[in-house]
Amino acid sequence: VAGVGFGLMSDAFSVINLLADALGPSTVGIHKDSQLYFLTSAFMTMVLIFLHTFWGILFFHGCEHQCWWEITAVVIMHLAVSRSTFHSPLYMGSLMPSYLLMATAATWACLLSGGSAQNLHCFLLCKS
């Protein structure tokens, strides 16, 4: 719950900044900027909400079991995603690594929460 709340609140501020850019005196895309600014920002906002949720699971599991390498991994993943958004001048360049990291964090969080391939298979086939 803490991860979802933090993800939603941080991305609410991100959306406010996007809306301010949309209303602002200039138009996005002038001076050879990406025409996909708003679309990629929406996808980046979505991946950050999911990542904060999974990071919350991993971080608190690491705190509860005193697995310091899990806590360190969460901090490193957070810095990697943040760096990829600053490093890439193209907005699309940070989406693919972020989504790959999200899939990794989701799998890891699912396994730590007691999930398995058999549980996932039963869930998808609506079996009990």
Side-chain angles (χ1 to χ4, degrees):
V1 172
V4 175
F6 185 75
L8 289 174
M9 287 308 295
S10 68
D11 292 325
F13 285 102
S14 176
V15 168
I16 295 298
N17 289 333
L18 284 173
L19 292 175
D21 287 343
L23 295 175
S26 63
T27 304
V28 175
I30 296 178
H31 304 297
K32 299 182 183 178
D33 288 338
S34 175
Q35 296 288 329
L36 301 174
Y37 173 71
F38 293 114
L39 184 64
T40 55
S41 295
F43 280 109
M44 196 64 186
T45 299
M46 181 178 64
V47 76
L48 284 173
I49 290 172
F50 285 125
L51 277 171
H52 279 100
T53 304
F54 302 138
W55 288 337
I57 294 168
L58 297 173
F59 190 87
F60 287 112
H61 182 270
C63 288
E64 185 177 352
H65 296 282
Q66 295 182 351
C67 295
W68 306 117
W69 64 272
E70 287 181 359
I71 297 170
T72 305
V74 169
V75 172
I76 289 171
M77 284 190 285
H78 193 284
L79 291 174
V81 170
S82 296
R83 185 179 183 278
S84 74
T85 60
F86 289 130
H87 185 265
S88 179
L90 301 173
Y91 299 111
M92 300 277 268
S94 62
L95 283 178
M96 186 58 73
S98 298
Y99 273 88
L100 290 174
L101 197 62
M102 183 192 70
T104 303
T107 304
W108 189 8
C110 180
L111 292 174
L112 285 180
S113 300
S116 66
Q118 182 181 5
N119 290 346
L120 181 62
H121 184 264
C122 289
F123 170 74
L124 293 175
L125 295 178
C126 297
K127 293 182 180 178
S128 56

